[in-house]
Amino acid sequence: MILTYEQLLSEVKLNGLKSISSKIQAVALGVFEPLDHVRLTMGFKSLGLKPFSAKIQNVPLSVQGEREFILTPTTLSLDDAMNTHFPGDFIYGGAFVLEDLMNHKPLDFRVFGYPTDLMDRQELRKSISVDELHYGYLDVELRKELHPTAYVNGSDSLKFSENGAVKNNFQSINFKTSGLLQSIIDLASHVETVFMAGTTGILSSLGESVVRFSGDFLRMDTLYASGLSLKGYGVMLALGLGALIRVEGNVHILDQIISNEDRLYKVVDIAAQKELSRIPFKQFRDSMVVIDDGAYKVGSLTSLYLAERIARRLAGQE
Amino acid sequence: MADKISKKWVLQFPPNQVDKPIAYHLVKDFNLVINILQASAHEEKESFMIVEVIGRKKDIDNAFDFLQTQEIEVVDMEKGITLNVNTCIHCGLCVGLCPTTALTIDPKTHEVCFEKKDCVVCDLCLKYCPVAAIEMEFLK
């Protein structure tokens, strides 16, 4: 039997851990949220010149060797005048290039380089789509966050964080991680299958507090990836990740799965940079948080809807 | 003053009409008070302007007829917000920003739901939706 994390939690709550431990083979976890450390390495078969700089849709790329480029989702378009001096609308950036590539859209690609050592610098400009890439792999790095944080804003004006716009005068609370991400990191050594935006990835590195997954970008599904433009903050990529955690023979790992009631979030006033309280994750999931008798609406950038869909897909229920 | 009424119009200009002093004519020739709420002008594509006009009904009707003769499409409108379900990723950022309960998260499915009748068209969700899934619509 394979259960999603949520199904497991409700089953344990209803009948206790013992009732299920002998029957369960794996637990499926899914998340869909903005990720900070993502990079796409893409390569061409040949370019005909030795590159020293490159841009795609006017978003700068990092050049690696003779025909390989790296794109990060937070890189901004060079002609985004609104954001030259202060954070503005962030209409386009690396995350949107990634999304456009997944959608097989033709994109403007410019490379500057030298055809040979003795010839002048030249520009190679052409329209490319993901279909012309020789390879592309997406690396995602997850860092263990001992105290997941949610933000509230005590000032008079709207403030911005990686969690999006946080309303003024303590009117709302914003959070990012679904909590499940932490479970993936905690249990990474037991990961059997990694879901990366519609395709199967691999666990490429397992450290004390950092876990890296890598997946074939050319097979990723745009349904599970989305460029986000956070007004006043920046551009990020929301990605669907999932993991099938093997339980059979390792029943003890069920003890490491933390319930939504027990996983506590640090609530920080983003204006004063002061911790206000610690709140169970369950309240965040229920869209209303209570601090000192005051109830606050909760906003997030984490799609629990898509997270559960990924988990059900991994568990073979969808 | 009592016989004055107010209307909101969306004026849509073809590219060749962008440089016409329409606001001037509405004020000078039809004695209307105008409040430009939003405008976007492009020389190469269709432009629009959202105006609130205040004046006597007869003057407003005459101004309406005048605009028609200038190849400007006038849409008498009410504003409304729509949620594009195909673009929405159900992240819920808008739920925390919504001052009413028009935007909520379904506690069972965690889908973002939009209740149009509770919306006060404050535009907060429109400005901050990270995937631009919330759009403004103009109702005739």
Side-chain angles (χ1 to χ4, degrees):
Chain A
M1 182 167 61
I2 299 172
L3 293 181
T4 68
Y5 185 88
E6 294 300 313
Q7 290 165 342
L8 175 73
L9 288 182
S10 52
E11 178 68 30
V12 169
K13 199 174 176 181
L14 215 64
N15 302 315
L17 189 58
K18 273 189 183 169
S19 71
I20 203 160
S21 57
S22 59
K23 292 180 253 170
I24 189 162
Q25 292 156 325
V27 181
L29 296 160
V31 287
F32 186 90
E33 66 171 52
L35 296 167
D36 302 317
H37 299 278
V38 178
R39 68 178 202 170
L40 169 69
T41 307
M42 53 186 185
F44 295 84
K45 267 188 176 166
S46 68
L47 278 176
L49 80 176
K50 281 188 286 186
F52 59 81
S53 76
K55 290 183 277 188
I56 187 164
Q57 295 289 93
N58 221 11
V59 174
L61 298 168
S62 164
V63 178
Q64 300 286 306
E66 206 175 293
R67 50 194 163 81
E68 193 172 87
F69 303 90
I70 289 179
L71 172 65
T72 51
T74 51
T75 313
L76 291 178
S77 170
L78 289 176
D79 59 2
D80 199 347
M82 276 289 285
N83 305 303
T84 307
H85 298 294
F86 56 88
D89 282 340
F90 300 105
I91 292 156
Y92 200 81
F96 292 92
V97 176
L98 287 165
E99 192 182 338
D100 286 344
L101 280 171
M102 283 187 205
N103 278 320
H104 297 261
K105 280 190 186 169
L107 303 177
D108 181 36
F109 180 58
R110 297 172 75 180
V111 186
F112 301 92
Y114 303 102
T116 76
D117 292 342
L118 297 172
M119 288 180 78
D120 287 348
R121 159 190 156 143
Q122 285 184 10
E123 180 189 354
L124 170 75
R125 186 171 191 176
K126 60 176 184 171
S127 174
I128 61 152
S129 76
V130 72
D131 306 310
E132 283 147 69
L133 293 180
H134 187 42
Y135 58 87
Y137 53 90
L138 199 72
D139 289 308
V140 176
E141 183 183 296
L142 307 178
R143 286 169 187 268
K144 192 173 233 173
E145 203 180 353
L146 289 175
H147 303 293
T149 308
Y151 291 107
V152 62
N153 172 18
S155 74
D156 289 335
S157 55
L158 265 168
K159 290 214 175 280
F160 306 93
S161 77
E162 59 184 335
N163 303 353
V166 192
K167 262 169 90 175
N168 45 324
N169 301 321
F170 299 106
Q171 290 182 69
S172 69
I173 293 181
N174 237 310
F175 74 108
K176 191 180 83 173
T177 177
S178 65
L180 299 177
L181 197 58
Q182 294 307 305
S183 298
I184 292 180
I185 300 166
D186 293 343
L187 302 171
S189 56
H190 300 280
V191 163
E192 192 162 75
T193 307
V194 184
F195 174 95
M196 283 185 78
T199 188
T200 305
I202 56 160
L203 175 69
S204 56
S205 169
L206 177 63
E208 180 74 18
S209 59
V210 179
V211 177
R212 285 194 192 91
F213 297 113
S214 192
D216 183 358
F217 179 74
L218 308 187
R219 300 175 71 176
M220 286 184 183
D221 185 350
T222 189
L223 181 65
Y224 299 105
S226 186
L228 306 180
S229 175
L230 304 185
K231 196 181 171 77
Y233 186 77
V235 174
M236 295 173 91
L237 182 74
L239 199 71
L241 290 179
L244 201 61
I245 311 280
R246 193 174 54 249
V247 175
E248 223 171 11
N250 299 297
V251 180
H252 64 279
I253 69 167
L254 289 177
D255 295 334
Q256 294 176 46
I257 291 178
I258 303 169
S259 76
N260 291 337
E261 286 89 345
D262 294 336
R263 191 181 293 281
L264 293 179
Y265 263 61
K266 197 163 69 171
V267 179
V268 170
D269 180 352
I270 194 172
Q273 283 298 315
K274 183 182 155 196
E275 185 178 330
L276 300 177
S277 181
R278 296 213 172 187
I279 307 283
F281 180 54
K282 187 176 185 314
Q283 285 191 26
F284 286 92
R285 292 204 69 139
D286 295 343
S287 308
M288 196 62 85
V289 166
V290 178
I291 303 176
D292 297 335
D293 301 329
Y296 303 93
K297 277 178 30 170
V298 172
S300 84
L301 283 175
T302 298
S303 175
L304 298 171
Y305 171 73
L306 284 170
E308 283 172 17
R309 202 164 156 179
I310 292 166
R312 285 200 303 273
R313 183 170 157 173
L314 263 175
Q317 297 168 8
E318 196 170 277
Chain B
M1 285 296 285
D3 59 345
K4 287 191 174 177
I5 59 167
S6 154
K7 288 222 169 198
K8 279 183 192 162
W9 288 339
V10 182
L11 309 181
Q12 288 170 331
F13 300 77
N16 59 338
Q17 300 291 328
V18 174
D19 56 351
K20 285 201 171 173
I22 293 302
Y24 166 83
H25 285 297
L26 293 179
V27 175
K28 184 84 175 164
D29 302 344
F30 301 98
N31 202 24
L32 299 178
V33 174
I34 69 161
N35 183 14
I36 300 173
L37 302 171
Q38 210 174 334
S40 170
H42 298 277
E43 284 180 9
E44 288 159 10
K45 53 183 181 180
E46 194 171 77
S47 304
F48 78 94
M49 183 159 73
I50 302 172
V51 288
E52 183 182 19
V53 290
I54 303 162
R56 289 186 306 165
K57 187 176 182 307
K58 193 181 170 190
D59 290 335
I60 288 178
D61 290 344
N62 288 341
F64 187 90
D65 294 339
F66 162 74
L67 292 169
Q68 303 280 350
T69 62
Q70 302 294 308
E71 296 177 49
I72 296 166
E73 193 186 335
V74 187
V75 180
D76 207 355
M77 65 115 187
E78 284 176 33
K79 276 200 293 185
I81 293 284
T82 51
L83 176 66
N84 185 341
V85 288
N86 296 323
T87 316
C88 180
I89 56 167
H90 306 276
C91 72
L93 176 70
C94 54
V95 174
L97 291 170
C98 181
T100 63
T101 49
L103 286 156
T104 52
I105 287 190
D106 184 311
K108 280 189 180 162
T109 63
H110 298 113
E111 258 180 297
V112 169
C113 307
F114 177 56
E115 194 62 63
K116 208 163 195 163
K117 67 177 172 49
D118 295 328
C119 177
V120 291
V121 201
C122 70
D123 295 2
L124 263 182
C125 55
L126 185 85
K127 283 181 196 158
Y128 295 105
C129 176
V131 292
I134 296 171
E135 292 157 3
M136 181 74 81
E137 64 168 1
F138 300 107
L139 310 167
K140 282 189 186 182

